[in-house]
Amino acid sequence: MQTFKQYPFSEPILKALEKLGYEKPTNVQQAVLERFNENQDLIVQAQTGSGKTMAFALPICEEVDWEGRYPQALILTPTRELALQIQEVFFKVGRFKRIKAVGVYGKAPFGVQQKELKQKTHVVVATPGRLLDHLEKGTIQMKDIQCLVIDEADEMLKMGFIEDVRRIIEALPKHRTLLFSATMPKAICKLTEEMMKAPIPIQITPKQVTSKQVEARCYEVKTEDKLLSLMQLTKSENPECCMIFCNRKLEVERVYKALYEEGYNCAMLHGGMEQRDRFRVMEDFRRGHYRYLVCTDVAARGIDVKHVTYVVSYDVPEDKEQYVHRIGRTGRGKQIGKAAMLITKEEQKFTKAIEDYIGKPLVIEEMIDEVEVKEVEEAFKEKMAQPIALQKNEVEAIHQDILKLHINAGKKTKMRPVDIVGTLCNLPGVCAEDIGIIQIQDISTYVEILNGKGEKVYKQLQNTPIKGRMRRVSKVARRD
Ligand code: AMP
């Protein structure tokens, strides 16, 4: 297989890939990269965790014209969490090309997004509802969109987004569409074909919908013992990091409370929570602050937390595809994962559809008994007292080279990007390539200094005037 270096990527993209430690494209990336330049619509079916996001982020970042003022690519996605995650992938890949990706999703302040969209924006990652709000208010310019990506397409079109997606497509004057999804039911395939022009189908792993890297087991349990069974199972498995899926938010709350009281290092996530709290929980979980996350399927799609080693379906999902998405939260990249599902008598009616869908029988195992659990209780307690052994964070690797500075002057004092660039390029040892994204707000300016030169620039700016005056320059604390 080719390495990324053998593809005609520009230097800033190759540099980002190198920093991320990605050497070779995954199968889906290879397939998309091969066809991307044909400028046609693509329907890509690839299993969750196969590197789908990077498959579109890479060629889009490469293709974007940095000089362009208005968004050139639009990514539509069903959940806000996913939007944020995709935005981060663009941040990672487009770092050294200074690609600005703006997230446009609901339950976050409209005004902040509006301000961001007023500045140079290359890519917009959006959930449909909020994007339509911006379109209606005229706060987003879509005339330059060349590429529309519909991610998690089946879900997008199923969750009642179909009309929204149609309206968004109508607002795009010229574009090509790339459609990505792990699952692609026939009815949805047909719908998508209506919206696309002679799409090229790309199917990676056509039969196997669940990853071979995940060992999945099921346990028959009594309804009244379900919670106890969950505890027995998780204690005996004693995973490094675990997601527990329930079908309803009330159940999430109940399970979370019980686990918390039992001494589990856990958090919960469901759609009824404030968006700010949802992001915070997800971020903390990603950073390894919690070993367990009890959640609804709001977290099942696309969410990429590398160190998840165990996924439990506390309830059997009523939608067979959801089973695959849940399992896909572990065994990410090249890692091995484990999954378990608890099945009560009432839930047995859903298992046949899952078996048909994954093309193999579910493996039913005996529930471990309490005696065994006692033996593992000590090990469990010990683990709960320890921090999670985290993998080296990829974003971290890139951030090491970047420092964001705040300057206490902005639009009100007529600060323009050229003033910042001019000042910085006059500093000894600093050139245009060392300057990242510049954001000018009313009374503040943010500028990112790349290539590890941040500290030096920060010190020099303490006694260098910007636009004729000394300014207060400070370092901005990193978000992660
Ligand atoms: P996705 O299917 O987009 O959710 O990606 C799954 C995981 O694979 C993510 O953690 C990516 O960071 C990782 N990944 C994507 N592309 C590559 C690559 N070429 N080499 C190694 N890891 C990758």
Side-chain angles (χ1 to χ4, degrees), residues 72 107 141 144 171 194 262 300 336 338 375 385-386 423 431 448 451 476:
Q72 297 163 49
K107 290 200 184 157
Q141 173 57 268
D144 289 346
E194 275 170 31
E262 182 68 15
I336 304 289
K338 278 185 167 185
E375 289 162 18
Q386 284 167 7
T423 307
C431 59
E448 291 175 345
N451 304 325
V476 178

Side-chain angles (χ1 to χ4, degrees), residues 48 79 81 214 226-227 230 233-234 241-256 259 266-271 282 285 291-305 308-319 321-332 338-343 347 354:
T48 175
T79 68
E81 282 77 8
V214 183
K226 215 174 182 185
L227 205 45
L230 174 73
L233 208 58
T234 44
C241 181
C242 173
M243 290 176 87
I244 297 170
F245 285 97
C246 303
N247 289 354
R248 321 236 179 278
K249 62 183 185 205
L250 278 179
E251 200 66 358
V252 166
E253 283 171 355
R254 203 173 70 88
V255 171
Y256 163 75
L259 294 188
C266 60
M268 68 169 169
L269 184 73
H270 60 65
M282 208 56 229
F285 183 59
R291 247 178 227 286
Y292 287 82
L293 182 70
V294 188
C295 52
T296 54
D297 286 309
V298 79
R301 290 222 161 215
I303 296 302
D304 180 33
V305 178
V308 173
T309 51
Y310 197 42
V311 169
V312 182
S313 280
Y314 180 76
D315 297 317
V316 176
E318 288 164 19
D319 177 353
E321 285 145 22
Q322 220 54 53
Y323 175 77
V324 174
H325 290 296
R326 288 180 181 181
I327 287 191
R329 295 315 100 216
T330 185
R332 314 286 295 165
K338 278 185 167 185
M341 179 157 74
L342 303 183
I343 309 173
E347 289 176 312
I354 294 177

Side-chain angles (χ1 to χ4, degrees), residues 4 17 20-26 28-29 47-56 58 82 85 89 92 152 302-306 329 332-334 394:
F4 280 121
L17 285 167
L20 288 165
Y22 295 168
E23 285 169 17
K24 291 178 181 166
T26 62
V28 63
Q29 288 161 3
Q47 146 188 337
T48 175
S50 59
K52 275 187 293 157
T53 319
M54 203 71 98
F56 58 80
L58 266 173
L82 210 43
Q85 193 172 286
V89 171
K92 291 195 265 186
E152 301 291 346
I303 296 302
D304 180 33
V305 178
K306 286 215 166 44
R329 295 315 100 216
R332 314 286 295 165
K334 291 191 181 108
E394 303 164 321

